[in-house]
Amino acid sequence: MVNSKSQKYSALFCYINQSRIPFLLLLSLSFIACQEDNEAPALPDLRIYLDRFEEEARLRGYDLDLSNVEAVYLDEIERDGEPSCGWGYSNYEGSGLRRIEISTAEDCGWQELSDIERENFFFHEIGHAFLNRSHDESRLCDGSPLSLMNSTTNIWRIYQESEEEKRTYYISELIDRLAALDQCIDYEEGWVNDSVFYQFTTEDDRWVFTSREGAYAGSVSSVDGSGGDRISMRLIPGSITEESGRWLRRINNPNIPERADVTLRVTMNSEQLTGPGAAISIRAFHAPVGERGAQTEEYLFLTTTENPVSGKLDNYVEELTIPRYSRSTTYIVLFLRLMAGTEGEVSFENIELVVQEE
Ligand SMILES: [Zn+2]
């Protein structure tokens, strides 16, 4: 109950400051307060783990400076209405600050964790706050998490005190995702089949429709019998806009083999498009680490927007290929577009990512 005791202590401290208590009484009161505080296990200064991570990075040849990472204890953390035991911000409230929050709420049990358990958890938050990483649920062939950024296993115990080799791997992988290439990676989970990594179905609700000026209408529909789960878009008649309409889908940490060719393939149909037409794009991002932390940047942009298709589209197949995929990729974004000035409705079907291993 460090929590309640430290609150009592500060309440007492406030009381002393506000009243005119003789000096001697004040001394004895603060003595009692200190005694009481000594009974509770002290929370470690979180700087210990920041310094330790710097040292681990140094051992691997990285000169990282985490002095600007703010690390704080909070009585409780709530995000989107859900309690959380820790949070790592790479850009706290848009201020550019990298910040880690650790909850001392009893449910989180931070007080009862061992040093190595706290390290597991804190290094995971460094992954978010300093290395710009998101959760990665990929697994190794033995079923263990591929990364400390796993969120579905007990993230206090991804490696344990006696597992020095595992610890070495997980910290290396945190800094450089390519460290996983020396491991046996399980590619079975999350794939549609051997070559199709992703296929759109109406159950996938993570496609986002954007139409900045409200000029377009978008819809998702399932057509029985034709296997045609589709995404559609049309310019609302009478609307005028300089912007294209778009659907986009972000895929984090795609668990795709290194150096594979990854193709976005889409079948388009339209009764009639007039004007520039429809297009597809892919953007790929990575987050190379620098001295003051990782910077997320786009490293690849593929698009057919220079050459959109128009007119009557009868199962027209469009594709774009990421050549020699790199597992340093933190996320990719798929785009379906209707170019500005295009009238009519287009539907995108058989939206899939096909992987051809090297
Ligand atoms: Zn996390």
Side-chain angles (χ1 to χ4, degrees), residues 182-222:
D182 295 337
Q183 305 286 317
C184 174
I185 299 170
D186 177 3
Y187 289 110
E188 285 171 34
E189 194 75 16
W191 286 56
V192 178
N193 62 42
D194 283 350
S195 63
V196 180
F197 175 72
Y198 169 81
Q199 188 163 50
F200 170 72
T201 69
T202 51
E203 281 159 29
D204 177 7
D205 59 6
R206 284 183 280 178
W207 279 87
V208 177
F209 175 60
T210 61
S211 169
R212 279 192 204 144
E213 291 156 2
Y216 299 89
S219 63
V220 169
S221 58
S222 179

Side-chain angles (χ1 to χ4, degrees), residues 91-276:
N91 183 7
Y92 182 66
E93 293 183 346
S95 63
L97 176 69
R98 297 182 189 273
R99 173 177 156 110
I100 293 171
E101 297 173 349
I102 298 293
S103 170
T104 56
E106 204 175 338
D107 288 353
C108 294
W110 176 266
Q111 288 86 337
E112 282 78 44
L113 296 181
S114 68
D115 176 66
I116 204 80
E117 289 170 330
R118 286 171 178 160
E119 178 186 289
N120 269 254
F121 188 71
F122 197 87
F123 283 7
H124 172 103
E125 299 306 338
I126 287 179
H128 288 308
F130 192 77
L131 301 164
N132 294 21
R133 293 197 53 177
S134 57
H135 290 156
D136 185 345
E137 315 304 354
S138 305
R139 298 214 165 245
L140 300 177
C141 297
D142 67 2
S144 57
L146 178 139
S147 172
L148 265 186
M149 296 316 293
N150 185 286
S151 73
T152 57
T153 308
N154 181 342
I155 61 172
W156 296 274
R157 298 203 187 99
I158 288 185
Y159 57 80
Q160 309 205 23
E161 184 80 58
S162 56
E163 298 174 319
E164 197 50 44
E165 201 177 316
K166 266 184 149 181
R167 179 177 183 271
T168 301
Y169 162 68
Y170 281 114
I171 298 173
S172 295
E173 195 279 339
L174 197 60
I175 302 169
D176 179 5
R177 304 184 65 214
L178 296 183
L181 295 181
D182 295 337
Q183 305 286 317
C184 174
I185 299 170
D186 177 3
Y187 289 110
E188 285 171 34
E189 194 75 16
W191 286 56
V192 178
N193 62 42
D194 283 350
S195 63
V196 180
F197 175 72
Y198 169 81
Q199 188 163 50
F200 170 72
T201 69
T202 51
E203 281 159 29
D204 177 7
D205 59 6
R206 284 183 280 178
W207 279 87
V208 177
F209 175 60
T210 61
S211 169
R212 279 192 204 144
E213 291 156 2
Y216 299 89
S219 63
V220 169
S221 58
S222 179
V223 183
D224 288 343
S226 70
D229 282 1
R230 64 174 66 147
I231 291 179
S232 304
M233 202 170 1
R234 65 186 168 86
L235 185 73
I236 295 169
S239 298
I240 297 169
T241 176
E242 299 282 303
E243 302 277 347
S244 65
R246 61 182 197 177
W247 280 92
L248 64 92
R249 168 68 156 91
R250 173 170 163 160
I251 301 175
N252 287 336
N253 303 308
N255 187 19
I256 289 171
E258 183 77 0
R259 290 185 296 277
D261 288 341
V262 182
T263 300
L264 168 62
R265 188 175 293 151
V266 178
T267 302
M268 299 186 204
N269 279 291
S270 177
E271 290 294 314
Q272 185 64 36
L273 286 181
T274 57

